[in-house]
Amino acid sequence: YNWAILFFCSFYVIITYIVLNLLVAIIMENFSLFYSNEEDALLSYADIRNFQTTWNLVDVNQRGTIPVRRVKYILRLLKGRLEVDTQKDRLLFKHMCYELERLHNGEDVTFHDVLSMLSYRSIDIRK
């Protein structure tokens, strides 16, 4: 009977220690995602701010949507990580414009749609 109590108590302490360490590891991992360095981030605040500034040049009415044909103009104006070189990446440029036209049937596209497309393009999702 004494061995059973000793086994139970030691098992309980060890399992509690392991689970507590796992919980702390999960919390630390989530904090590291939110509080990472600017150079470690896939898209920095400056990149998103640059996209917003470029978007505001095209969306003069501040509606948050633009005609899909104006996306080409935005893509040519962008700089930084979201920049699309229209000479070097000509096929990619055409493909992105075609995808947005196809997805929205020639209607207006939103700020979020274009930013999502560019962010997925700027990182390699296959990793």
Side-chain angles (χ1 to χ4, degrees), residues 41-43 81-82 92 116-127:
L42 296 174
L43 282 178
R81 286 186 188 164
L82 296 177
L92 176 65
S116 295
M117 177 195 61
L118 287 168
S119 60
Y120 282 126
R121 191 240 355 133
S122 68
I123 60 173
D124 190 5
I125 300 174
R126 294 169 289 176
K127 289 184 180 178

Side-chain angles (χ1 to χ4, degrees), residues 72-121:
K72 293 177 184 178
Y73 184 63
I74 284 184
L75 295 178
R76 288 187 182 107
L77 291 176
L78 281 172
K79 300 293 179 214
R81 286 186 188 164
L82 296 177
E83 180 178 4
V84 179
D85 186 0
T86 56
Q87 299 304 319
K88 189 175 87 174
D89 301 325
R90 184 176 307 201
L91 186 61
L92 176 65
F93 180 77
K94 287 181 180 179
H95 177 71
M96 289 190 317
C97 294
Y98 171 75
E99 281 296 314
L100 279 175
E101 286 179 17
R102 189 176 62 83
L103 288 173
H104 295 280
N105 297 323
E107 299 292 323
D108 292 349
V109 293
T110 64
F111 177 88
H112 181 263
D113 294 334
V114 179
L115 183 60
S116 295
M117 177 195 61
L118 287 168
S119 60
Y120 282 126
R121 191 240 355 133

Side-chain angles (χ1 to χ4, degrees), residues 28-93:
M28 293 299 291
E29 179 67 25
N30 285 332
F31 272 117
S32 71
L33 289 175
F34 287 112
Y35 296 106
S36 65
N37 293 336
E38 189 71 22
E39 63 268 2
D40 294 339
L42 296 174
L43 282 178
S44 68
Y45 177 75
D47 294 327
I48 296 172
R49 189 74 179 147
N50 181 26
F51 177 74
Q52 184 179 18
T53 304
T54 306
W55 179 273
N56 288 338
L57 291 174
V58 177
D59 185 18
V60 292
N61 296 331
Q62 303 294 314
R63 295 181 312 137
T65 61
I66 60 169
V68 74
R69 66 183 182 279
R70 301 286 288 168
V71 172
K72 293 177 184 178
Y73 184 63
I74 284 184
L75 295 178
R76 288 187 182 107
L77 291 176
L78 281 172
K79 300 293 179 214
R81 286 186 188 164
L82 296 177
E83 180 178 4
V84 179
D85 186 0
T86 56
Q87 299 304 319
K88 189 175 87 174
D89 301 325
R90 184 176 307 201
L91 186 61
L92 176 65
F93 180 77

